[in-house]
Amino acid sequence: DTAVSQTPKYLVTQMGNDKSIKCEQNLGHDTMYWYKQDSKKFLKIMFSYNNKELIINETVPNRFSPKSPDKAHLNLHINSLELGDSAVYFCASSQGDRANTEAFFGQGTRLTVV
Amino acid sequence: AQTVTQSQPEMSVQEAETVTLSCTYDTSENNYYLFWYKQPPSRQMILVIRQEAYKQQNATENRFSVNFQKAAKSFSLKISDSQLGDTAMYFCAFKGSARQLTFGSGTQLTVLP
């Protein structure tokens, strides 16, 4: 049983396309996140949802839109993909968002925009 | 804003030896947590160890231990009896009142047979 699962694991697409990455967690957590890892392996928070409400929205182009249909899912939709969007995107979840809570990560989705 | 700095982009260690990875951070907060995450070639991010800023005792998890120096804002990871499976990218991370993980740039550790 995978705790945090993302689909797809790999995504290759052309510039200008719209794509979605799905994330599901079966841990019963109430907080979910999206992180972006760039080509230099640097990890940065993009979004955080707590009980389906957006609580963190870092400086991310509005082409990126997270959607949380329920507490167990946080999907990432990207419009008009650009070359610079190529990266590994990680979904994570935790029970609450306090400092002491452990975040559990999915296996990442490698997005390549050509 | 918090920053986390890992000054060693790459390190290597012989199997069974001990290695220490460095991490420094900058914050004005008093209550926070520090974490070390491991990212093997499989890409999965795995929590290795965590430390609460209020605890003076250094955290340990089997072969992994930390040296937490709050005044110096230093949080190093020591891996004892290194194993081939320890080969991975190691990330230091901070979490405080902003309630989000702030990561360092990572250290690629290679364990040599």
Side-chain angles (χ1 to χ4, degrees), chain A residues 65-79:
Chain A
S65 54
K67 286 187 171 51
S68 181
D70 54 57
K71 287 197 300 184
H73 296 84
L74 181 62
N75 304 323
L76 183 65
H77 189 74
I78 316 170
N79 289 328

Side-chain angles (χ1 to χ4, degrees), chain A residues 37 45 97 100-101 105 108, chain B residues 39 43-44 50 95 99:
Chain A
Q37 186 174 41
I45 184 83
D97 59 356
N100 64 339
T101 56
F105 284 79
Chain B
Q39 186 179 36
R43 274 203 326 245
Q44 183 74 49
R50 73 175 122 185
K95 192 174 184 186
R99 299 183 171 186

Side-chain angles (χ1 to χ4, degrees), chain A residues 9-10 33 35 37 40-43 45 56 58 88 90 94 96-103 105-110, chain B residues 4 31-33 35 37 39 42-47 50 89 91 95-106 108:
Chain A
K9 290 187 178 58
Y10 298 92
Y33 311 83
Y35 285 84
Q37 186 174 41
K40 295 184 179 176
K41 298 291 184 90
F42 188 67
L43 272 156
I45 184 83
I56 292 174
E58 288 295 308
V88 179
F90 284 95
S94 64
D97 59 356
R98 294 174 64 178
N100 64 339
T101 56
E102 177 183 349
F105 284 79
Q107 70 273 59
T109 295
R110 181 177 294 280
Chain B
V4 178
N31 192 16
Y32 51 86
Y33 276 74
F35 304 82
Y37 277 87
Q39 186 179 36
S42 66
R43 274 203 326 245
Q44 183 74 49
M45 293 287 287
I46 303 163
L47 179 65
R50 73 175 122 185
M89 193 80 161
F91 291 95
K95 192 174 184 186
S97 62
R99 299 183 171 186
Q100 64 188 62
L101 284 166
T102 299
F103 287 92
S105 53
Q108 175 63 48

Side-chain angles (χ1 to χ4, degrees), chain B residues 53-90:
Chain B
Y54 266 113
K55 287 190 177 175
Q56 293 186 340
Q57 186 172 6
N58 289 324
T60 61
E61 287 287 342
N62 301 314
R63 297 182 295 108
F64 299 87
S65 61
V66 299
N67 183 3
F68 174 49
Q69 303 287 330
K70 190 173 183 179
K73 295 190 172 72
S74 169
F75 181 60
S76 60
L77 174 69
K78 185 171 87 170
I79 306 174
S80 304
D81 186 24
S82 297
Q83 300 175 359
L84 296 178
D86 295 334
T87 292
M89 193 80 161
Y90 287 81

